Amino acid sequence: MIILLIIGLLCFCFAIGYAANFLLLKRQNQRIFSKRRFYPFLIIGLVFSIMSLPFVAQADPSSEPLFKDQKQVTSEISRLKSDKETLTSSLEDVTKEKEKLTKKLENITSEKETVKQQEQTIQELEEKIDKLTSSNEILKKENKKVNKETQSPAVQRSAPKDDGTNTGGHESQKETKKESATCHIKGSVNGIYHTPSSRYYSRTKKFKRMFCSVEEAERAGYRAPKQ
């Protein structure tokens, strides 16, 4: 291969020398430039020189570190390419995961807003329930007061007088107390009495007096409801 390099260099030098000589002596000798001599030597010189250069470089011991470095650089480049591909794929996976997390975050945000609205609705309902409970308790207290006020005169009117002639006066007083406790017929302001089985019994809040029996209410001038 060294011989080829020498031959190539000689042919190349001959071609260059021939061209230079022709240019220098052209005006004096008036010679014609021979392409058959220039181009073949030039091409052969270039081809042989190029073909022998790699082999000469390998044979040169000083060039071995350069080849080693070149191999290392080549391997490093290939490794970097593989790392780049790996990072690209991992980046795509991370991007997809980010999109999924973004969608989950949007869903969680919407659910959180829904929960807030439900909590507000529950609070409003609890407040309404508290108000209704307090008003119901007030109505119960007022109803108890009204019942007590209406029962007391009815008991006094319906209770028989004890003239001291009847025997067992204590027993008769106990019986009248029991009867007065069972006076639960309401006499409304419209002159209508309502028994506990009447559909208007619970609705009748304003009434004048309480009766212990239907006969007593009718004797007092009250009538039964039409429905």
Side-chain angles (χ1 to χ4, degrees):
M1 293 298 171
I2 295 173
I3 296 171
L4 288 176
L5 179 61
I6 293 169
I7 293 171
L9 289 174
L10 290 174
C11 291
F12 183 75
C13 291
F14 176 78
I16 296 300
Y18 177 76
N21 187 21
F22 173 76
L23 291 173
L24 291 174
L25 301 176
K26 181 177 179 182
R27 294 181 180 180
Q28 297 177 3
N29 299 328
Q30 299 293 327
R31 297 193 316 178
I32 299 172
F33 182 76
S34 178
K35 295 180 180 180
R36 292 181 180 179
R37 292 181 182 179
F38 177 75
Y39 287 109
F41 283 99
L42 180 64
I43 293 169
I44 291 170
L46 290 173
V47 170
F48 284 4
S49 298
I50 292 169
M51 289 176 61
S52 60
L53 280 175
F55 297 99
V56 172
Q58 289 181 0
D60 189 3
S62 62
S63 62
E64 289 180 0
L66 294 175
F67 281 102
K68 289 181 180 179
D69 294 337
Q70 184 179 3
K71 289 180 180 179
Q72 289 178 359
V73 170
T74 305
S75 63
E76 189 70 20
I77 290 170
S78 62
R79 187 180 65 80
L80 289 173
K81 286 182 179 179
S82 63
D83 292 340
K84 182 181 177 182
E85 293 176 356
T86 305
L87 290 173
T88 304
S89 62
S90 62
L91 181 61
E92 291 176 356
D93 295 335
V94 170
T95 304
K96 291 180 181 178
E97 190 68 22
K98 182 181 178 182
E99 291 177 355
K100 290 180 181 178
L101 291 174
T102 304
K103 290 181 181 179
K104 287 183 180 179
L105 182 62
E106 291 176 355
N107 294 328
I108 290 169
T109 305
S110 61
E111 290 177 357
K112 188 177 180 181
E113 292 178 355
T114 305
V115 170
K116 284 183 179 179
Q117 293 177 356
Q118 290 178 354
E119 287 178 354
Q120 291 178 356
T121 305
I122 290 168
Q123 288 179 357
E124 292 176 357
L125 290 174
E126 287 179 352
E127 291 176 357
K128 289 181 181 179
I129 290 168
D130 293 335
K131 290 180 180 179
L132 290 173
T133 303
S134 61
S135 62
N136 190 15
E137 290 178 355
I138 293 169
L139 289 173
K140 284 182 179 179
K141 290 179 181 179
E142 292 179 353
N143 192 11
K144 286 181 181 180
K145 290 180 180 179
V146 172
N147 288 333
K148 288 180 181 179
E149 292 176 357
T150 54
Q151 284 178 2
S152 58
V155 171
Q156 291 176 0
R157 291 176 184 177
S158 62
K161 294 182 180 179
D162 189 6
D163 56 356
T165 58
N166 294 329
T167 59
H170 294 290
E171 292 179 359
S172 63
Q173 288 178 0
K174 290 180 180 179
E175 289 177 359
T176 55
K177 287 180 180 180
K178 290 180 180 179
E179 289 177 358
S180 64
T182 59
C183 295
H184 51 267
I185 299 174
K186 296 179 181 179
S188 66
V189 295
N190 297 324
I192 301 171
Y193 66 88
H194 298 282
T195 60
S197 61
S198 175
R199 61 185 294 183
Y200 299 101
Y201 185 83
S202 60
R203 298 181 185 178
T204 304
K205 304 295 182 181
K206 296 180 180 180
F207 47 88
K208 287 184 178 181
R209 55 185 295 186
M210 299 290 289
F211 299 101
C212 297
S213 64
V214 176
E215 290 79 9
E216 183 182 358
E218 289 177 353
R219 284 197 301 270
Y222 288 82
R223 64 175 179 84
K226 293 181 180 180
Q227 294 182 355

